[in-house]
Every structure is written in C-alpha cells, then in structure tokens.
Amino acid sequence: MSGSQQLLVIGAILLFSLLTINANRTIRTATELTLDAEHIITATSIGEELIAEASARYFDETTDGTNIVSVNEFTPAQSLGPENGESYPNYDDVDDFNLLTKSFDTPRLGQFTANILVEYTDPLHPDELTPSKTRMKRIRVQVSNPSLNQPIV
C-alpha cells in the first residue's frame, strides 16, 4: 500500500469516526428529549388525577349533601385540611386535600412527589387568594421528580 493510499484510508477512518460521534450525539439528544417529555407528561397526569379526585368531593365539610346559603358556615381558611380522624384517601371534601403530600412510584421514571395546596380565592379575580371564606377554592398541585428541572404546577 502506497503512502497516498494510507492517507486516504486514515482520512476515511477519521471521517467515519466524526460521523459516528455526531450520530451518537443526535441519538442521545433525542433520547433525552423523549425522557424529558415522558417525565412532564407523567407529572401532568399525576396532577390532573389528584385534582379530579379532590374535585369529586364535597366543596366543604358543611356542604356534605346539604345546601348552604351563607359562606359564613364554610371552614375558615386557617382550618383548611382534614378534620380529626380523617386520612387520605377517605377525605369527604375538597379542603381535606390541603397540605397533602403523596408519592407515586413508577417502574420506568422513579418516584414522583405531589404537594397539594387548597386555598380560598376571590370569585371575581380567581388568581387572587383571599383569607376570607368564599364560594371558590383553588387546588394547586405541584409535582416533582429528581429528573425534572423544575416542578410541574
């Protein structure tokens, strides 16, 4: 084999190595993006599941099957949470979920942790929290996982 042929072979090996490195980099990036999306979708599903579960309960302890006319009868904001003797999953009203932390183990993505906060909001401005009793409560679920850059809210 002559010197020029050796240079061509070395050049071809070098070019093939560069192509292989770029292909591996592209595959790794695509895999990371897929896993990130899977984490986000799983966290969102967990959050939606908990919101649906809480929403299926009575609005307040005082409204368990009865019609309440006055908001003064609702649970005070500082008392939102499970009543004495209540524990998850046997909650009967929405605000029992306040300050609940629940873990979800997944076989592929590890453990997700959900933190729930239930607060009264202003019916005219739902994004504004209020310490007063109102006919509107906000359920805020934050789901985290070690692989997520930031929690999903």
Side-chain angles (χ1 to χ4, degrees), residues 23-84:
N24 285 339
R25 186 178 303 134
T26 301
I27 291 169
R28 189 186 78 223
T29 301
T31 302
E32 287 173 358
L33 288 173
T34 301
L35 279 174
D36 287 347
E38 191 173 347
H39 279 90
I40 291 169
I41 290 168
T42 301
T44 302
S45 296
I46 288 169
E48 288 176 346
E49 176 184 323
L50 288 170
I51 289 171
E53 185 178 353
S55 297
R57 303 300 201 276
Y58 292 113
F59 177 77
D60 194 81
E61 184 68 26
T62 59
T63 61
D64 58 353
T66 61
N67 292 329
I68 301 297
V69 178
S70 172
V71 295
N72 293 328
E73 297 179 42
F74 291 157
T75 304
Q78 65 273 15
S79 298
L80 295 177
E83 288 74 34
N84 287 335

